[in-house]
Amino acid sequence: MRALVPLVFLLALLSACSGADLACTAIGSRSGVSVDVDPAIAPKVDSGTLELCWDGRCRTLDLELYPSTAAGETTCAGEVCSAQVRQTGGKHTFGDVHDLPLTEIQATLRLTGTESVTATLPLTPEQTYPNGPSCGAGGPQQRLVVEASGTVRAG
């Protein structure tokens, strides 16, 4: 009987927690296409364009590439932790497209610099859920990855 008391308490606690409403924050997500450039080719490109076409119309976005970063060494003092940001050697950008559809589109990426990269490929943007599916949708997005060889793929 003593073993049942903690079990009953645990079940009651889980039941109470599962019935609680999840709070949805006011966070959103931008509609558009991100571009990530591998560190091996990043020093050779500095800007570009992204042409997106669907429903018989196209739009061209000017792209400015920025240094990519990642979390580096993490240190903790008591309950407070921090991470240093370090550059990865890669580059990235995001092109805003407010009416980006959730259907297949045609994308042409052109990067320029001491080398150039040009690729045309189909993309299908995906719906994002910045707070999870129960809190509603954010903007549709797609990601392009420029590999060290200059090959471009949907990511």
Side-chain angles (χ1 to χ4, degrees), residues 71-140:
E73 183 180 337
T74 302
T75 58
C76 295
E79 294 182 13
V80 177
C81 294
S82 65
Q84 297 294 319
V85 175
R86 63 172 178 77
Q87 290 191 358
T88 65
K91 291 184 180 175
H92 73 279
T93 193
F94 189 89
D96 288 298
V97 184
H98 299 291
D99 57 344
L100 190 65
L102 292 169
T103 58
E104 186 176 288
I105 63 175
Q106 194 72 14
T108 300
L109 177 66
R110 293 178 184 89
L111 298 179
T112 57
T114 58
E115 285 192 24
S116 59
V117 172
T118 301
T120 300
L121 64 157
L123 297 178
T124 303
E126 297 179 3
Q127 192 66 64
T128 59
Y129 297 92
N131 279 290
S134 63
C135 288

Side-chain angles (χ1 to χ4, degrees), residues 33-39 41 50 52 91 93 105-111 117-126 141-155:
V33 179
S34 65
V35 178
D36 290 306
V37 182
D38 187 272
I41 196 168
L50 177 61
L52 303 171
K91 291 184 180 175
T93 193
I105 63 175
Q106 194 72 14
T108 300
L109 177 66
R110 293 178 184 89
L111 298 179
V117 172
T118 301
T120 300
L121 64 157
L123 297 178
T124 303
E126 297 179 3
Q141 296 181 357
Q142 183 54 273
R143 178 177 176 233
L144 292 175
V145 177
V146 182
E147 297 178 347
S149 64
T151 303
V152 179
R153 64 175 172 83

Side-chain angles (χ1 to χ4, degrees), residues 10-93:
L10 179 62
L11 288 174
L13 181 63
L14 288 174
S15 295
C17 291
S18 67
D21 290 330
L22 295 175
C24 296
T25 67
I27 192 170
S29 56
R30 298 159 61 186
S31 295
V33 179
S34 65
V35 178
D36 290 306
V37 182
D38 187 272
I41 196 168
K44 302 171 187 172
V45 295
D46 51 29
S47 63
T49 61
L50 177 61
E51 181 182 64
L52 303 171
C53 301
W54 70 91
D55 292 337
R57 61 191 169 117
C58 297
R59 75 181 53 168
T60 302
L61 308 171
D62 292 322
L63 303 177
E64 185 175 345
L65 298 172
Y66 301 97
S68 295
T69 58
E73 183 180 337
T74 302
T75 58
C76 295
E79 294 182 13
V80 177
C81 294
S82 65
Q84 297 294 319
V85 175
R86 63 172 178 77
Q87 290 191 358
T88 65
K91 291 184 180 175
H92 73 279
T93 193

